[in-house]
Amino acid sequence: MKNRSIFICILFCTRFVSCVYDLDIPLTNNHPKCTSHEQIETTVYYPDDFVANLSISDLNDETVTLSAWACDTGESQCDSVIEVLWPGTYSYIKNGYGTKLITLSLDTNLMGIFSGMLIIRDSYNALSSLPYRVQKLFFEPFDTYPLSENYWKKYHQGETTTIGYHYVDKKLLFSFDEDDSTKLLSTGIISFFALSGDFHITIDFRLKDEMNDGFEIGFFVSTSSDTGKWDGDRAGIFIQGKQAQIRMECSSIEMQTYSRDLNLTSGELGISRQGQRLSYYYHDGNPLVSPESPISHTYVYDSVFVHLKMSVTDRTRNHHVSWNDFYITRGFLVF
């Protein structure tokens, strides 16, 4: 009887052990998966570069790699995809088997809309995807004074009589009061940074209501950072008051010009570059009126500086223009 009990015990243990250590059971790779987000959709303002902290679960791998299926259309759904590097960096807060924590960042100086699918891949080439749409912006509201010396410098250093601040509207103000001395007939600011590659920039402006003669304002780009007489090869939008008529002119290198008379005393101005083509936009701010079709010129230079300028032809009357809400929605900033 004792021998029978020992035999039954041995048989039971043998079956149990063979069940646990059965070498015929196939190994299964645990696929990586983002558990913190179903999608990434956010806006990042320069100089911030942080996009998101991701929690990634994967039991078989200590680390994963990130890449992207990018869309040129700005949408998260792609008709056709090309796998590229994530347009920034990622770093581990925590790695190891199980849950990994990853910080996702964008290139600090690169503005634009980045969208597509974030690809999370393990060492066995198993992957999962995460839709993303991230907009990176440079935004200067011009709602504080003095100007940030990190981004802007005046044409005339130390100038305080023609460049100031509208404390009621909270806007940057260029102004020329009535003065027969004609000591200063132009003023302006220029970006400390240059823009490289394709870009899109916009700004809002407003002229003094009764001002329709003896002035010119300019929103333009130039190859030179010189704030003096010579301002390089420039291209942009210029609004002039002459003989009681407001005239808008778009001009570029090689005598390319477009002009028309119009009643444009406030609104939004925009300049966009795609390859070697510059396009100009303007809108009077009326939501019921569609913006005019863009005007385009050739412009072959890469790195350019942004200018805001005002000139007057006489000092026998008051002139002023206010500026606010400057955006760079696409482009690379070079300091």
Side-chain angles (χ1 to χ4, degrees):
M1 184 68 178
K2 181 177 181 180
N3 291 337
R4 179 180 176 84
S5 298
I6 292 173
F7 175 77
I8 293 173
C9 181
I10 293 173
L11 181 62
F12 174 79
C13 291
T14 301
R15 289 182 177 180
F16 177 76
V17 171
S18 65
C19 179
V20 173
Y21 296 101
D22 190 346
L23 299 179
D24 294 329
I25 297 177
L27 296 176
T28 301
N29 179 42
N30 184 243
H31 285 215
K33 182 180 180 182
C34 181
T35 58
S36 58
H37 295 74
E38 293 184 357
Q39 63 179 2
I40 300 172
E41 186 163 359
T42 188
T43 298
V44 181
Y45 291 91
Y46 180 89
D48 292 341
D49 59 2
F50 172 78
V51 175
N53 283 330
L54 305 179
S55 296
I56 309 295
S57 66
D58 189 335
L59 299 177
N60 305 125
D61 295 272
E62 292 187 272
T63 61
V64 294
T65 59
L66 301 183
S67 59
W69 290 344
C71 298
D72 292 332
T73 59
E75 301 296 335
S76 58
Q77 299 298 322
C78 307
D79 295 330
S80 61
V81 296
I82 300 174
E83 189 161 350
V84 296
L85 296 175
W86 166 252
T89 60
Y90 62 93
S91 59
Y92 281 91
I93 302 174
K94 173 189 174 185
N95 58 10
Y97 299 107
T99 299
K100 287 155 273 293
L101 300 179
I102 296 177
T103 293
L104 196 64
S105 303
L106 279 173
D107 189 318
T108 302
N109 290 356
L110 182 61
M111 308 302 126
I113 295 178
F114 308 94
S115 63
M117 304 295 289
L118 185 68
I119 305 304
I120 307 165
R121 181 181 278 107
D122 68 13
S123 59
Y124 297 94
N125 209 35
L127 56 85
S128 62
S129 60
L130 183 67
Y132 69 89
R133 187 179 190 278
V134 182
Q135 184 170 25
K136 182 72 182 294
L137 296 174
F138 179 98
F139 175 51
E140 171 62 89
F142 288 125
D143 61 353
T144 59
Y145 198 78
L147 295 169
S148 171
E149 294 182 355
N150 294 325
Y151 304 139
W152 308 100
K153 52 187 176 181
K154 298 176 180 179
Y155 276 23
H156 309 284
Q157 296 304 313
E159 171 59 35
T160 59
T161 59
T162 59
I163 296 180
Y165 181 63
H166 197 299
Y167 287 93
V168 176
D169 294 338
K170 296 185 177 180
K171 298 178 181 180
L172 177 66
L173 185 67
F174 293 177
S175 62
F176 291 85
D177 294 333
E178 182 178 339
D179 183 354
D180 292 334
S181 64
T182 65
K183 292 180 180 179
L184 192 63
L185 295 178
S186 68
T187 195
I189 62 173
I190 183 174
S191 63
F192 185 74
F193 54 85
L195 278 175
S196 180
D198 295 341
F199 63 78
H200 185 79
I201 57 178
T202 60
I203 195 165
D204 289 346
F205 80 100
R206 183 177 183 84
L207 300 174
K208 184 180 178 181
D209 292 338
E210 66 274 18
M211 193 172 74
N212 59 9
D213 206 351
F215 76 93
E216 179 184 82
I217 65 168
F219 173 49
F220 61 95
V221 296
S222 169
T223 56
S224 174
S225 61
D226 181 16
T227 59
K229 180 178 180 181
W230 306 109
D231 54 8
D233 293 289
R234 68 180 191 174
I237 304 173
F238 303 87
I239 297 174
Q240 306 162 346
K242 185 180 294 185
Q243 297 177 350
Q245 178 65 50
I246 302 295
R247 187 172 185 82
M248 185 194 73
E249 179 180 280
C250 301
S251 65
S252 184
I253 58 173
E254 299 174 352
M255 306 299 289
Q256 298 172 95
T257 61
Y258 167 89
S259 60
R260 60 173 294 188
D261 295 333
L262 72 169
N263 186 25
L264 185 67
T265 59
S266 65
E268 182 183 72
L269 306 176
I271 305 174
S272 181
R273 178 168 64 193
Q274 184 75 33
Q276 293 187 355
R277 298 293 294 178
L278 275 184
S279 298
Y280 315 99
Y281 308 82
Y282 64 95
H283 189 240
D284 64 3
N286 186 346
L288 301 179
V289 179
S290 299
E292 296 280 345
S293 298
I295 301 100
S296 294
H297 287 152
T298 302
Y299 192 76
V300 298
Y301 304 104
D302 182 44
S303 293
V304 294
F305 299 87
V306 182
H307 291 248
L308 296 175
K309 184 178 180 180
M310 183 177 188
S311 301
V312 296
T313 56
D314 68 79
R315 296 293 300 272
T316 62
R317 66 190 71 189
N318 295 330
H319 298 87
H320 77 237
V321 61
S322 57
W323 308 93
N324 68 301
D325 291 354
F326 171 72
Y327 282 96
I328 304 173
T329 55
R330 186 172 70 249
F332 189 82
L333 277 60
V334 181
F335 285 88

